[in-house]
Amino acid sequence: ETGVTQTPRHLVMGMTNKKSLKCEQHLGHNAMYWYKQSAKKPLELMFVYNFKEQTENNSVPSRFSPECPNSSHLFLHLHTLQPEDSALYLCASSQASGADTGELFFGEGSRLTVL
Amino acid sequence: TQLLEQSPQFLSIQEGENLTVYCNSSSVFSSLQWYRQEPGEGPVLLVTVVTGGEVKKLKRLTFQFGDARKDSSLHITAAQPGDTGLYLCAGWSGGTYKYIFGTGTRLKVLA
């Protein structure tokens, strides 16, 4: 496996379900990100983790719960979502330094549909 | 709130034509990146510009960072169907681990 892998690629869930998205990076990077991409909106940053520590929570509703057990894995736990949460969820990683975040390497995304 | 507005939002052109995509903001950025995203995939980095006035060329693609570091442009010469995709600019202001992404330009190049 190389790069950033996300599973599942597609997920359909009801509003009362609990599901999780998984992201794994094989690049040895120290920072991982969750972005939301929906139609007609810019790519929205949700969460940032640097060395497993959350450094950014961009006012995301509590029905989205991130987890970063180590520098290579990132999860997004989903609970009681709304139909407007349907979107493509992109995971990314980067080798962040003091100067800048560096290049973002994205996974292929998890397409989420909330019924 | 920092915003990056891209124009045009959609562009459909014939193979061989030239085009320019713009990325504008009222905020100053320390650096700016351009990504291309193809259907079913995540965005892939094309270039990073860091100095005001900087021009970078990547084969048929020319990127420019504005003198005031508030805007950028992407010019494609002799577009090809393989250039089709969503082009995203992303600005970094420094001090945090995040890039702010632009609204996107969806390009379709017809053979």
Side-chain angles (χ1 to χ4, degrees), chain A residues 66-87:
Chain A
E67 178 190 359
C68 188
N70 54 60
S71 293
S72 299
H73 293 85
L74 185 63
F75 295 88
L76 189 62
H77 303 299
L78 315 170
H79 177 50
T80 58
L81 296 190
Q82 305 297 312
E84 60 265 28
D85 296 322
S86 297

Side-chain angles (χ1 to χ4, degrees), chain B residues 11-92:
Chain B
L11 192 55
S12 181
I13 61 171
Q14 294 292 324
E15 182 176 5
E17 291 184 13
N18 301 332
L19 68 116
T20 301
V21 176
Y22 299 94
C23 173
N24 294 298
S25 175
S26 58
S27 303
V28 175
F29 291 98
S30 299
S31 64
L32 195 137
Q33 296 181 333
W34 284 92
Y35 289 80
R36 180 170 67 210
Q37 184 177 16
E38 298 184 23
E41 299 182 10
V44 175
L45 180 70
L46 296 173
V47 77
T48 300
V49 286
V50 297
T51 305
E54 181 177 4
V55 177
K56 279 192 174 179
K57 291 191 175 183
L58 185 67
K59 296 184 180 177
R60 294 177 294 101
L61 278 60
T62 302
F63 304 86
Q64 185 163 9
F65 201 11
D67 291 341
R69 290 186 287 132
K70 292 183 179 181
D71 54 85
S72 180
S73 64
L74 158 60
H75 182 79
I76 301 179
T77 303
Q80 299 177 0
D83 296 326
T84 293
L86 176 66
Y87 287 81
L88 297 163
C89 63
W92 181 73

